[in-house]
């Protein structure tokens, strides 16, 4: 039984299936298995010259994920069951698809897995999650908004932050699976080399988008974990 009391915030993410190599590798990479909601041992990577815990310090809270709707507090007039029902309706309205090609890229100093070219199906999925589920979002406090301004926002990002509670949406949305915190160029060079080697098979294959996931930020340990999966239409 899902209890609102177990989680402080919710988010809608994409993650690969639990059995995928990328999922299993990333669980050890982050030291966090979001499917199981447990810590796991970091891998021994011979060619990595830096502390993996430091490299992944910020994204390890979330584990492997691609943001479709950023973390939000549930609106006081909404319930978790209503959110689940709306997610089910939304997921059945969108057909499964795939991203033909993915690669590693540095974005504002952090390394992420991204589509090799912009994918309109993913952009549409994110837009639907943003708009159709926005009634479940409690309006962010000034403290939360200011935290999201720390990195510096463009005028359009500031506009979206005020309207949607998050700046990187709609035409500012770029789908990505974050793999590191912000790194120096020297560290990035080594980490990119290691990730390209470890993920060489993954990076040659399409990325299937067949499910979306409701995540929750656990009040117990403060990390995000999978609550429920929702299959897209065949």
């Amino acid at each position: 039984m899902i209890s609102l009391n177990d989680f402080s915030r919710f988010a809608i993410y994409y993650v690969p299936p639990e059995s995928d190599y990328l999922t299993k590798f990333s669980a050890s990479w982050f030291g966090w298995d979001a499917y199981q909601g447990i810590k796991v041992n970091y891998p021994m990577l011979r060619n990595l010259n830096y502390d993996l815990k430091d490299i992944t310090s910020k994204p390890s809270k979330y584990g492997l994920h691609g943001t479709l709707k950023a973390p939000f507090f549930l609106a006081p007039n909404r319930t978790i069951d209503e959110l689940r029902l709306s997610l089910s309706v939304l997921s059945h309205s969108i057909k499964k698809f795939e991203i033909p090609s993915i690669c590693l890229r540095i974005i504002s100093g952090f390394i992420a897995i991204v589509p090799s070219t912009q994918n309109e199906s993913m952009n549409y999925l994110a837009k639907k999650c943003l708009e159709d589920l926005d009634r479940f979002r409690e309006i962010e406090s000034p403290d939360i908004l200011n935290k999201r301004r720390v990195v510096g926002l463009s005028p359009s990002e500031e506009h979206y932050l005020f309207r949607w509670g998050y700046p990187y949406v709609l035409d500012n949305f770029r789908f990505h699976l974050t793999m590191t915190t912000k790194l120096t160029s020297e560290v990035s060079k080594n980490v990119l080399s290691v990730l390209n080697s470890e993920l060489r098979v993954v990076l040659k294959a399409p990325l299937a988008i067949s499910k979306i996931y409701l995540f929750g930020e656990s009040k117990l340990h403060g990390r995000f974990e999978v609550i429920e999966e929702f299959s897209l239409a065949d």
Side-chain angles (χ1 to χ4, degrees):
M1 178 68 69
I2 300 171
S3 171
L4 176 61
N5 294 326
D6 294 336
F7 303 98
S8 55
R9 293 187 297 168
F10 300 91
I12 315 303
Y13 292 151
Y14 164 79
V15 288
E18 188 173 6
S19 60
D20 275 19
Y21 173 78
L22 176 57
T23 305
K24 293 179 177 179
F25 169 80
S26 297
S28 63
W29 178 261
F30 291 116
W32 177 248
D33 185 329
Y35 274 101
Q36 299 297 321
I38 57 173
K39 291 182 179 180
V40 296
N41 293 328
Y42 290 104
M44 298 296 294
L45 299 171
R46 184 180 56 185
N47 296 320
L48 184 64
N49 299 332
Y50 303 93
D51 189 331
L52 192 49
K53 188 174 182 180
D54 293 337
I55 291 168
T56 62
S57 58
K58 289 189 177 179
S60 63
K61 174 185 173 76
Y62 307 88
L64 182 70
H65 72 287
T67 300
L68 298 173
K69 188 167 183 63
F72 59 93
F73 291 98
L74 193 65
N77 62 331
R78 299 294 179 179
T79 69
I80 186 67
D81 287 334
E82 289 173 334
L83 175 58
R84 292 168 64 213
L85 177 59
S86 292
L87 264 169
S88 179
V89 171
L90 185 156
S91 65
H92 284 98
S93 72
I94 297 177
K95 289 188 176 183
K96 298 173 182 176
F97 61 95
E98 69 176 25
I99 295 174
S101 175
I102 57 176
C103 62
L104 288 165
R105 193 167 293 162
I106 298 174
I107 305 173
S108 301
F110 66 87
I111 298 172
I113 297 170
V114 300
S116 298
T117 59
Q118 277 293 305
N119 187 278
E120 291 308 314
S121 295
M122 179 56 78
N123 293 345
Y124 178 72
L125 174 58
K127 182 176 184 292
K128 288 286 286 181
C129 289
L130 174 74
E131 296 176 346
D132 290 13
L133 303 174
D134 198 56
R135 63 188 183 276
F136 294 98
R137 175 180 63 92
E138 182 179 61
I139 300 302
E140 284 74 12
S141 68
D143 283 347
I144 291 176
L145 295 179
N146 287 333
K147 284 181 180 178
R148 290 176 173 171
R149 290 185 175 107
V150 167
V151 295
L153 301 179
S154 68
S156 69
E157 289 167 348
E158 177 64 31
H159 171 73
Y160 288 146
L161 176 67
F162 182 77
R163 170 61 183 87
W164 300 102
Y166 195 67
Y168 310 114
V169 299
L170 301 175
D171 52 322
N172 290 331
F173 172 76
R174 299 292 182 270
F175 176 72
H176 60 278
L177 303 170
T178 304
M179 298 302 292
T180 72
T181 191
K182 191 170 183 178
L183 306 174
T184 65
S185 58
E186 181 182 351
V187 177
S188 291
K189 185 176 181 181
N190 175 240
V191 176
L192 268 174
S193 175
V194 170
L195 282 173
N196 270 309
S197 176
E198 295 293 330
L199 299 177
R200 58 188 177 278
V201 176
V202 172
L203 297 173
K204 291 179 180 178
L207 188 66
I209 312 297
S210 60
K211 295 180 181 180
I212 58 177
Y213 292 78
L214 173 62
F215 272 62
E217 183 180 29
S218 171
K219 291 181 179 178
L220 180 63
H221 48 66
R223 293 176 183 247
F224 280 78
E225 59 184 76
V226 172
I227 296 175
E228 190 172 351
E229 62 182 39
F230 298 85
S231 294
L232 303 185
D234 292 323

